[in-house]
Amino acid sequence: MNTNIDISVVFSIVLVIGVVYTLSKMVRIVPQGEEWVVERLGKYSKTLLPGLSLLIPIVDSVAYKIVTKELIQQTRDQEVITKDNAVVIISAVVFYRVTDPGKASYSISNFESAVANMTTTTLRAVIGGMTLNESLSQRDQIKAQVAAKIRDSLSGWGLTLGNLEVQDIRPSDNLQEAMERQAAADRDREATILIADGDRQASIAKAEGQKQAVILEAQGRLEAAKLEAQAKVELADGDRKSMVIVGQGLASGEIAPNYLLAQRYIDSIKEISDSDNSKVVFMPADWQTSLAGVVGSLGYLGSQISDKK
């Protein structure tokens, strides 16, 4: 009797355990943000969406639990050689989502590693077709080219590309040092050129100023010479006219010219006697006769002028 009771208890416990196990395998609750891939007897059967689902125990089994939220894959820093044989270091971040869990599970063994390797390879190919300056300045173009190349591959794996960003792109350490040295040399060269150009402009301005000064000085001298010559001409013309007037007066027998000439003669003798260099003045004994001769000559000149008129 006791033996039968023990067997029945053991059987009941085993039955309860079996029922619980069966229910756990039959009733599945898929959380939000995931989709489960179900295999029936080792073959893909269906994909369980978030919520409550029922499976056939032993026959059906959950093979893969796929996260359908947007995934982030960051590539490691890698050295890439550009078209002009410069070395740059580049890395990128890929945002993608699993849209077909069946393809993601069976078309490739590890889609996360595949996305990283595909992005790295494509980056190397795109940068290899650019020069150093293009790779450093055309970040948006690199992003567009890489995204266009990997989008088809991801679609074949049941993935959808959300976005791709070039996280970092910079020259290698050795190249950066060389670029800094070149930039410093370029700045020194430009400074030297600017200084030389400034000196040249200053020399040109100085020479131009000196030339203008010489021209102005020459013009001033020319004007002064013209004025002096004009003054001499006017003075000579005045003397000529005065002599003509005196001559005409003498020819007509006027006394005033005789007096004027005598006064000028006496003033001249006085000036000679007042000079520091003259100590003795010799007067001719017949100075009246000499003066009369001068007056007679002027009178003859005046008569000739009067006859011409």
Side-chain angles (χ1 to χ4, degrees):
M1 185 67 179
N2 293 333
T3 303
N4 293 332
I5 293 174
D6 293 337
I7 294 174
S8 63
V9 171
V10 172
F11 178 76
S12 298
I13 294 173
V14 172
L15 181 61
V16 170
I17 294 175
V19 170
V20 172
Y21 177 78
T22 301
L23 290 175
S24 65
K25 293 295 183 180
M26 183 177 64
V27 179
R28 292 299 180 92
I29 299 176
V30 180
Q32 186 68 36
E34 293 185 6
E35 292 183 8
W36 293 358
V37 176
V38 177
E39 293 180 351
R40 177 167 293 176
L41 299 178
K43 183 179 179 180
Y44 172 76
S45 175
K46 59 183 177 180
T47 300
L48 301 182
L49 301 178
L52 179 64
S53 300
L54 297 178
L55 301 178
I56 301 175
I58 301 175
V59 176
D60 294 336
S61 62
V62 176
Y64 301 98
K65 295 180 179 180
I66 304 298
V67 177
T68 57
K69 294 181 290 186
E70 191 168 61
L71 303 175
I72 301 174
Q73 184 66 51
Q74 182 174 1
T75 63
R76 59 180 177 82
D77 291 346
Q78 58 176 328
E79 293 185 351
V80 182
I81 300 177
T82 62
K83 186 168 63 176
D84 51 355
N85 296 324
V87 179
V88 297
I89 299 175
I90 188 170
S91 62
V93 179
V94 183
F95 300 88
Y96 65 98
R97 185 189 301 273
V98 179
T99 53
D100 190 339
K103 285 185 178 181
S105 300
Y106 297 104
S107 62
I108 193 166
S109 60
N110 187 338
F111 62 83
E112 293 182 354
S113 177
V115 170
N117 291 330
M118 174 62 68
T119 304
T120 300
T121 304
T122 308
L123 278 173
R124 297 178 70 90
V126 172
I127 296 298
M130 293 182 170
T131 63
L132 175 62
N133 292 333
E134 291 174 346
S135 63
L136 295 177
S137 61
Q138 299 180 2
R139 184 184 294 257
D140 291 339
Q141 184 175 351
I142 296 172
K143 166 187 170 181
Q145 291 185 15
V146 174
K149 290 179 180 296
I150 70 173
R151 184 172 284 109
D152 292 338
S153 297
L154 267 63
S155 178
W157 299 335
L159 310 176
T160 299
L161 179 65
N163 195 10
L164 184 143
E165 294 292 340
V166 177
Q167 187 176 23
D168 186 24
I169 180 169
R170 66 183 188 277
S172 62
D173 295 339
N174 294 334
L175 180 59
Q176 190 168 0
E177 292 178 0
M179 291 175 65
E180 290 176 355
R181 290 195 298 269
Q182 181 180 1
D186 291 340
R187 288 193 296 270
D188 293 341
R189 180 175 58 85
E190 291 177 358
T192 303
I193 292 174
L194 291 175
I195 293 173
D197 186 67
D199 293 340
R200 183 177 64 85
Q201 294 294 336
S203 299
I204 293 174
K206 183 178 180 180
E208 186 68 22
Q210 292 176 349
K211 183 180 74 173
Q212 293 295 331
V214 171
I215 292 174
L216 291 175
E217 184 179 359
Q219 290 177 349
R221 291 179 179 177
L222 179 61
E223 292 295 331
K226 288 182 179 179
L227 292 175
E228 183 178 0
Q230 185 177 359
K232 289 181 179 180
V233 170
E234 291 178 354
L235 181 61
D237 187 65
D239 291 340
R240 183 182 62 80
K241 289 180 180 180
S242 63
M243 291 177 65
V244 170
I245 293 172
V246 171
Q248 290 176 351
L250 292 173
S252 62
E254 294 180 359
I255 301 176
N258 294 330
Y259 176 77
L260 178 62
L261 290 174
Q263 183 66 38
R264 293 290 299 272
Y265 184 79
I266 294 172
D267 291 340
S268 298
I269 296 300
K270 183 178 179 181
E271 289 179 0
I272 293 173
S273 64
D274 290 338
S275 175
D276 295 335
N277 296 327
S278 299
K279 302 301 182 182
V280 179
V281 178
F282 295 94
M283 295 291 292
D286 55 347
W287 63 273
Q288 295 90 350
T289 304
S290 300
L291 181 60
V294 173
V295 171
S297 299
L298 291 175
Y300 174 76
L301 178 62
S303 63
Q304 293 295 322
I305 294 172
S306 298
D307 293 340
K308 290 181 179 180
K309 290 183 176 180

